[in-house]
Amino acid sequence: MTGARLQLDEPRTDAERRLEESRALLSTARSLGTTLAPEEIARRAAREIARLLGADTALYFDVAEDRSHVTAIAGYHVPEWLKGLYPRVEAADISPVLMEAVSDHRAVWSADVACDPRFDHPWLAAFPVVPRSLLHHAIENRGRVIGGLFVCWWHTAHEPTPAELELVAALSQQAGLAIEGARLHRRAEERADKLRTLAELTRLIMSASGPGVFDAIAHAAGRLLDATLVHV
């Protein structure tokens, strides 16, 4: 049920709730599976989780390979004042409570951030508008953290239900698989492109004739080395 909040807190049988969750996850899987761009998958994951929970904003933070920092690469309904405010956050500046989502493999949340001492941290306090409620869940793949979803309710209090937390965990798992799969595809495409370029470079060297051969070799070498300027 993409496009509207999933009403998991309404009275219903367990079978009805499970069916609703399954439909939501199937819809999300379809949405995430129709693109091979990691950034677009991250944006769609942020959109889906915000819609399902009835949140105002969702951000996706990508974790650096060396885990030294995180970078905001996508979001849904991001306020203008927040865009570009924290494109990169050093690991040392991340609130410890948010790191619990990584170490405990679960969501961390607060229905009243301003009155919750766990979230009394300079990074959050520096927001021009501190969210009333928030939720954070790590995105993992094969036991390795690759990102995180940061969900905000700016002016209304929201306490996630157990069913919502289960849904967030399942969606996060889907996002992790989709993003890592897209990255593997991108790396495979890059390797294939370099192999094609190397084959063309070998052909040019073997022929070694023609007025433009050295320019072509320089261009091919630049592609192989990811260089912007190469002279031969």
Side-chain angles (χ1 to χ4, degrees):
M1 121 170 347
T2 302
R5 180 185 174 187
L6 189 63
Q7 298 296 327
L8 295 177
D9 52 349
E10 291 182 351
R12 61 185 61 205
T13 66
D14 185 65
E16 289 173 331
R17 182 173 64 81
R18 290 297 181 185
L19 178 60
E20 200 76 3
E21 292 175 8
S22 297
R23 287 173 175 170
L25 290 173
L26 179 60
S27 175
T28 300
R30 287 172 176 168
S31 176
L32 299 182
T34 56
T35 179
L36 285 172
E39 297 81 7
E40 177 59 18
I41 294 173
R43 188 192 70 80
R44 294 184 186 186
R47 178 190 66 191
E48 295 302 318
I49 199 169
R51 286 178 170 180
L52 290 172
L53 298 181
D56 297 313
T57 298
L59 295 167
Y60 183 96
F61 285 90
D62 186 63
V63 176
E65 287 287 341
D66 62 2
R67 300 172 68 87
S68 63
H69 64 277
V70 299
T71 306
I73 64 170
Y76 177 73
H77 283 185
V78 180
E80 286 297 325
W81 57 261
L82 186 55
K83 293 178 179 178
L85 184 62
Y86 294 110
R88 170 175 168 147
V89 182
E90 301 301 321
D93 296 330
I94 298 175
S95 172
V97 70
L98 299 183
M99 297 304 295
E100 290 181 14
V102 177
S103 60
D104 296 346
H105 305 281
R106 61 174 177 82
V108 294
W109 56 272
S110 176
D112 192 352
V113 174
C115 296
D116 191 332
R118 297 177 304 152
F119 291 86
D120 183 12
H121 190 272
W123 183 70
L124 286 172
F127 276 39
V129 178
V130 176
R132 176 69 183 277
S133 304
L134 64 79
L135 178 148
H136 174 255
H137 200 293
I139 304 297
E140 301 182 45
N141 182 260
R142 297 181 180 179
R144 182 173 61 89
V145 177
I146 62 173
L149 281 166
F150 189 78
V151 187
C152 299
W153 292 259
W154 296 112
H155 305 294
T156 58
H158 182 82
E159 182 174 336
T161 65
E164 285 178 331
L165 293 175
E166 287 182 14
L167 190 63
V168 168
L171 189 150
S172 297
Q173 183 180 41
Q174 285 185 342
L177 290 170
I179 289 173
E180 191 62 18
R183 286 176 174 169
L184 289 173
H185 175 80
R186 176 177 288 181
R187 287 195 287 268
E189 286 290 304
E190 290 172 350
R191 285 196 296 269
D193 181 64
K194 288 188 175 184
L195 286 173
R196 287 191 294 267
T197 302
L198 182 60
E200 177 64 13
L201 180 59
T202 301
R203 186 188 66 79
L204 290 170
I205 293 173
M206 294 297 292
S207 63
S209 63
V213 66
F214 292 111
D215 287 339
I217 290 174
H219 177 71
R223 290 178 61 188
L224 287 170
L225 300 173
D226 295 323
T228 57
L229 183 63
V230 176
H231 292 288
V232 176

